[in-house]
Amino acid sequence: MLKQRVITGLLLAVVVFSAVLLLPSFWFGLAVLAVCLGGAWEWARLCGLESGGQRGLYVTGVAALAGLGAFTAFALDQIWPVVLGVLWWGGVLVVLAFYRPAGREGRILWRRYGLGSAGVLTLVPAFIALVWLHQVQPALVLYLILLTATADSAAYFAGRRFGRHKLAPRISPGKTREGLLGALIAIVPFGLLGAWYFGVIPALWFFFVCLCLVTALVSVAGDLFESVLKREAGAKDSGALLPGHGGILDRIDSLTAAAPVFLMGLLWGVIMAR
């Protein structure tokens, strides 16, 4: 299993880095959209939409809203689809803090309509934010991917070594507060490196590092929210497309949360022009 996981991970890294660095933004956007729609297919199954027709209808709806959001953002120069994503993840933090498993009577409605709507709010703003970042500078996309990977890896190793207190025992018993702290500590030098690499003016270095910390924190929320989705569905993984890694959502859960927040922080701090 470990060998399979490593091989799949290396292949994914090659494909992702090649797509980010070599594809023009239009084709990169189509590739990201394809990944998001694959995630929407898995999301539909986890929401209880068992038939292919139901899942296809859900994916079609996500595709239509993604197209509308992209037109609004790139043709009309409106930022509100990404703002909606940021507000959504702010709300998710509250939901995670008070999460309780749904009762038997309310579970079907919660899964189909509550979590179904959540899929749109998760996937569409992330798609727009990633394409927006790529249009400005592809390196920003790679940096964001590496930022979420750094936070995830640091949380894992710090949690294994020092973990004592559960972060969200009702959602993901394996995550610890010590792991989260380790992730945030690891992000500080990564943020400083990013500020230097992207030529951020010294007066904004502190802001940029704080943005990276907030982005890492929200990426953990993305991971936890997907755990809620799988827990409600009684599933271990979102799918089986990626050997040793599960499904598409299992690989992009942190990134879908991080992308809108990172983009909005760059725009709000005037580190990146619209």
Side-chain angles (χ1 to χ4, degrees):
M1 176 64 76
L2 178 60
K3 180 179 179 181
Q4 187 179 57
R5 183 178 179 85
V6 170
I7 293 174
T8 302
L10 290 175
L11 290 175
L12 282 175
V14 171
V15 171
V16 170
F17 274 60
S18 299
V20 173
L21 294 176
L22 300 179
L23 291 179
S25 290
F26 175 78
W27 293 107
F28 174 78
L30 290 182
V32 173
L33 179 61
V35 171
C36 288
L37 294 181
W41 179 268
E42 294 178 352
W43 199 293
R45 181 183 68 85
L46 294 173
C47 287
L49 303 179
E50 299 296 341
S51 72
Q54 289 177 323
R55 293 190 212 173
L57 186 61
Y58 183 83
V59 171
T60 300
V62 172
L65 290 172
L68 178 61
F71 177 79
T72 302
F74 303 123
L76 303 182
D77 195 29
Q78 297 292 314
I79 196 66
W80 66 260
V82 181
V83 174
L84 184 62
V86 175
L87 295 175
W88 160 243
W89 286 107
V92 168
L93 290 173
V94 177
V95 171
L96 294 175
F98 297 98
Y99 170 75
R100 298 290 185 280
R104 182 175 299 178
E105 294 182 358
R107 178 161 293 185
I108 295 179
L109 291 176
W110 162 239
R111 283 181 63 194
R112 287 201 173 183
Y113 299 104
L115 293 178
S117 300
V120 176
L121 293 169
T122 296
L123 295 169
V124 173
F127 156 66
I128 296 170
L130 287 170
V131 176
W132 197 312
L133 288 169
H134 191 271
Q135 287 184 343
V136 174
Q137 189 175 353
L140 286 168
V141 178
L142 288 184
Y143 182 80
L144 178 60
I145 293 171
L146 292 174
L147 187 152
T148 58
T150 298
D152 185 61
S153 298
Y156 173 77
F157 288 111
R160 287 198 62 179
R161 177 64 180 85
F162 304 107
R164 296 292 183 273
H165 303 90
K166 303 298 183 183
L167 177 64
R170 293 188 180 89
I171 301 173
S172 181
K175 294 193 183 324
T176 64
R177 298 176 188 176
E178 292 81 3
L180 178 60
L181 179 60
L184 296 178
I185 291 174
I187 289 301
V188 172
F190 193 82
L192 292 171
L193 178 63
W196 167 79
Y197 179 82
F198 292 112
V200 178
I201 62 174
L204 290 176
W205 275 40
F206 178 75
F207 175 87
F208 186 82
V209 172
C210 288
L211 172 60
C212 290
L213 289 170
V214 172
T215 301
L217 181 64
V218 175
S219 75
V220 175
D223 190 356
L224 287 173
F225 191 74
E226 199 223 348
S227 295
V228 168
L229 181 65
K230 291 188 291 187
R231 179 172 289 273
E232 291 292 333
K236 182 179 182 295
D237 296 315
S238 65
L241 180 64
L242 306 173
H245 288 262
I248 293 174
L249 290 176
D250 294 316
R251 290 297 89 208
I252 67 171
D253 51 3
S254 298
L255 191 61
T256 53
V261 173
F262 188 63
L263 172 61
M264 280 304 303
L266 293 176
L267 294 173
W268 186 56
V270 200
I271 294 175
M272 185 182 85
R274 290 181 61 175

